[in-house]
Amino acid sequence: MSLKSILNLAIVMAFYSCQENNSGPSGNWRAELYLQNDTLPFNFIIEDSAELKLWLINGNEKILVEDVLIEKDSIKAQMHIFDTELRAKIIGNSMKGVFEKKYAQGYVLSFSAQKGIKYRFSEDPKTNLDISGKWAVQFESEAEDSTLALGKFSQNGSKVEGTFLTITGDYRFLDGEVDGNQLKLSCFDGEHAFLFKARLGENDELSGYFKSGISWNETWTAQRNNSVELKDAYQLTYLKEGYDSIYFAFPDMNGDTVKFPNPQLKGKVVLVQIFGTWCPNCMDETKFLADWYKKNKDRGLEILAVAFERKNDLDYAAERVQKVKDKLGANYTFLFGGPSDKQAASEAFPMLNQVMSFPTLIFIDRNGIVQKIHTGFSGPGTGLYYEKFVKEFEILSEELLEEK
C-alpha cells in the first residue's frame, strides 16, 4: 500500500471515529451499578427528538424518565417519580458517574455505561438447562426471619425473564440469563437495584444470593414446584375484634385535616390506599387505581391515599405526591400519614391487626363498613397473578358500587 493510500485510510478512519464519538447520547446503553463488591447490569435507551427522554429497560417493561438534562459533557436524570438521580460524565460513547438516593444520607452507588450494547449480563450466554416454571423459594438473612416466596420464570434460549412474589409484593420485572448452570437476574427501576444470582445443582435446586442497594443481602434456595402458591392476600390484614371500619385524621397536601368518616363521603364507596411514593409496588398499584378511578369516579366513589414517606415532613411529602400525580395521572385525594415504616403505619391505623406491607388497600362500602383488605400488590411483572388481581378487584368493586 502506498504512503498516499495509508494517509487517505487514516483520514477516513479518523473521520468515522470522530463521527461516532460526536453522535450524541441517543441510542442503546448498557449500564452497571457497583454494589457490595458486585456489579448489577441494566439497560436504558436515550431518545433525543423534540424532547430528551430516557427509558429504563427491564424485560418487557420500559419506564419513562422525562427529567433529563445534558449540558456539555454531563448528564443528569431525575428517576421518574422517585427522589433519586443518575449523574454522569459523558466520555465519547461511555458514561461514568453515580446513582444517588437524595433522601438517604450517604446512599451513593458508582455507575458506568457503554453505548451501543443491547445485552444485559453476557453477550453470548449458552446453556442446556431450562428453569421455566414455578419455584418454591426461601430467602434467608441475618436481619430478618426467613421469607417464603414464589419464583416464576420463563426462558427463551439462554434469556430469562420473571420475578419473585412474596406476601407483601413482587420484585417487579427481572431480566437476565442462564449461562452454563448459573442464573443471573437484575432489575433497576430508578429506586430499587435488585441483583439475583444462583447455581442449579444436581437435585434441581437453585442456590444463590440476592443483593439490593448499598447493604441489603440475603441467601436463597429454590425447588422446582409448579403447585406452590402464597397465602391469600385478602386474609393477611384484618380489623381487630370490636371494629367494623377504620377511623383517622390526616393532613392533605395543603395541610388541611381530612377525617374519615366524614359527611362529604357519606354514601360513597371509599378505597383507602396505604402507600409510599418511594415504593415500586405502590407505583404499580397507583397506575392501576389511577386508570380505574378515571373511568369510575362519577359512580359515587373516592380514593384516599395515605402516604408514608422517607422524610417525616409534609412539604417533602407534597413534593413527592405531586410528582406521582403528574407522572401517573393519579387525580384522587392524597393525605400524609407519617414516616415510611410499617410500625408508624400500624400506629396510624390501630384498628388493624398490623400494616405489614406498602401498599395495603382497604375496601369500604357505602355504609362505611370495611368489606375487604388487600395486602401487597402483584404487579404486571407477575403475569397471571396480576390478571387474577384485576379480575378479583373488578368483581369486588362492581359489587360495592352497585349496592345502594
Side-chain angles (χ1 to χ4, degrees):
M1 184 180 289
S2 67
L3 177 60
K4 182 176 180 181
S5 297
I6 293 173
L7 289 173
N8 286 337
L9 179 60
I11 291 171
V12 170
M13 291 178 66
F15 172 78
Y16 281 107
S17 175
C18 182
Q19 286 289 98
E20 187 172 347
N21 287 336
N22 290 307
S23 61
S26 298
N28 293 284
W29 291 79
R30 178 183 183 270
E32 290 184 337
L33 289 173
Y34 301 95
L35 69 165
Q36 304 178 50
N37 298 315
D38 219 325
T39 56
L40 183 157
F42 68 95
N43 305 99
F44 64 92
I45 298 171
I46 293 180
E47 294 180 358
D48 188 5
S49 52
E51 183 180 353
L52 194 63
K53 297 178 181 178
L54 185 152
W55 298 85
L56 298 173
I57 310 297
N58 296 294
N60 292 323
E61 179 186 50
K62 293 175 66 176
I63 299 176
L64 175 60
V65 177
E66 296 176 289
D67 300 326
V68 184
L69 178 65
I70 295 179
E71 290 184 340
K72 296 181 180 179
D73 63 345
S74 297
I75 182 170
K76 181 166 66 174
Q78 307 292 328
M79 294 284 97
H80 193 46
I81 66 172
F82 306 118
D83 191 15
T84 61
E85 183 177 86
L86 276 179
R87 300 188 302 273
K89 291 287 186 182
I90 304 173
I91 308 166
N93 287 325
S94 64
M95 293 184 189
K96 191 169 184 179
V98 297
F99 165 66
E100 180 181 9
K101 291 189 176 182
K102 295 193 289 183
Y103 58 80
Q105 186 174 1
Y107 197 115
V108 179
L109 297 175
S110 296
F111 155 82
S112 67
Q114 189 69 34
K115 186 180 175 184
I117 299 177
K118 293 185 178 182
Y119 66 82
R120 198 171 187 95
F121 282 91
S122 308
E123 185 172 8
D124 188 26
K126 290 181 171 60
T127 189
N128 295 319
L129 303 176
D130 186 353
I131 67 159
S132 299
K134 291 164 63 176
W135 296 72
V137 183
Q138 184 156 326
F139 290 98
E140 300 276 356
S141 75
E142 296 180 358
E144 292 184 358
D145 294 335
S146 62
T147 301
L148 298 177
L150 186 162
K152 176 180 175 293
F153 309 118
S154 62
Q155 184 173 338
N156 182 10
S158 295
K159 182 174 175 58
V160 177
E161 295 179 0
T163 194
F164 295 93
L165 294 86
T166 74
I167 58 174
T168 59
D170 66 275
Y171 285 88
R172 308 195 72 256
F173 291 84
L174 299 177
D175 190 1
E177 66 185 29
V178 178
D179 189 8
N181 70 339
Q182 188 174 22
L183 171 65
K184 307 171 188 176
L185 295 165
S186 68
C187 171
F188 176 65
D189 55 25
E191 168 68 23
H192 285 83
F194 295 147
L195 176 67
F196 298 87
K197 290 187 178 180
R199 292 187 181 277
L200 185 63
E202 295 180 357
N203 298 321
D204 208 24
E205 179 180 84
L206 287 166
S207 178
Y209 62 85
F210 162 52
K211 294 182 179 180
S212 176
I214 61 175
S215 61
W216 186 261
N217 61 83
E218 295 177 308
T219 59
W220 63 281
T221 56
Q223 293 281 349
R224 196 186 299 271
N225 184 343
N226 284 321
S227 64
V228 64
E229 295 294 346
L230 299 175
K231 293 179 179 179
D232 185 353
Y234 287 99
Q235 301 298 320
L236 300 171
T237 307
Y238 51 85
L239 292 170
K240 294 177 181 176
E241 188 175 351
Y243 291 93
D244 61 9
S245 193
I246 60 172
Y247 311 87
F248 60 72
F250 297 121
D252 65 14
M253 295 303 126
N254 295 316
D256 299 322
T257 298
V258 175
K259 295 181 180 181
F260 185 86
N262 74 57
Q264 292 181 333
L265 297 175
K266 187 175 182 179
K268 289 189 175 184
V269 171
V270 178
L271 304 188
V272 176
Q273 181 194 25
I274 302 173
F275 93 122
T277 63
W278 46 272
C279 162
N281 290 144
C282 301
M283 175 180 70
D284 288 338
E285 184 180 73
T286 301
K287 286 180 181 178
F288 171 80
L289 291 176
D291 183 60
W292 178 80
Y293 180 73
K294 181 179 179 180
K295 295 174 182 176
N296 293 279
K297 63 182 179 180
D298 295 328
R299 298 177 64 189
L301 69 96
E302 188 55 74
I303 299 177
L304 303 177
V306 185
F308 291 84
E309 293 303 308
R310 292 305 197 192
K311 294 181 182 179
N312 192 16
D313 178 84
L314 177 60
D315 291 338
Y316 177 82
E319 178 185 345
R320 303 320 309 163
V321 163
Q322 190 60 50
K323 182 80 75 171
V324 167
K325 296 181 74 168
D326 292 343
K327 298 293 186 183
L328 305 184
N331 294 315
Y332 44 81
T333 302
F334 286 84
L335 311 174
F336 179 48
S340 60
D341 65 76
K342 296 171 188 176
Q343 182 61 36
S346 296
E347 292 173 359
F349 290 89
M351 67 292 300
L352 301 180
N353 66 317
Q354 61 181 327
V355 175
M356 63 184 302
S357 175
F358 297 101
T360 295
L361 187 62
I362 304 171
F363 296 79
I364 303 171
D365 67 19
R366 295 186 186 277
N367 296 313
I369 306 302
V370 170
Q371 293 298 321
K372 291 276 189 178
I373 302 176
H374 187 273
T375 300
F377 190 76
S378 296
T382 67
L384 292 175
Y385 291 91
Y386 174 69
E387 294 174 13
K388 179 176 180 288
F389 165 81
V390 172
K391 290 179 181 178
E392 291 175 343
F393 178 93
E394 289 176 344
I395 291 171
L396 176 56
S397 61
E398 279 301 313
E399 290 176 352
L400 294 177
L401 288 171
E402 287 175 1
E403 289 180 358
K404 297 293 184 180

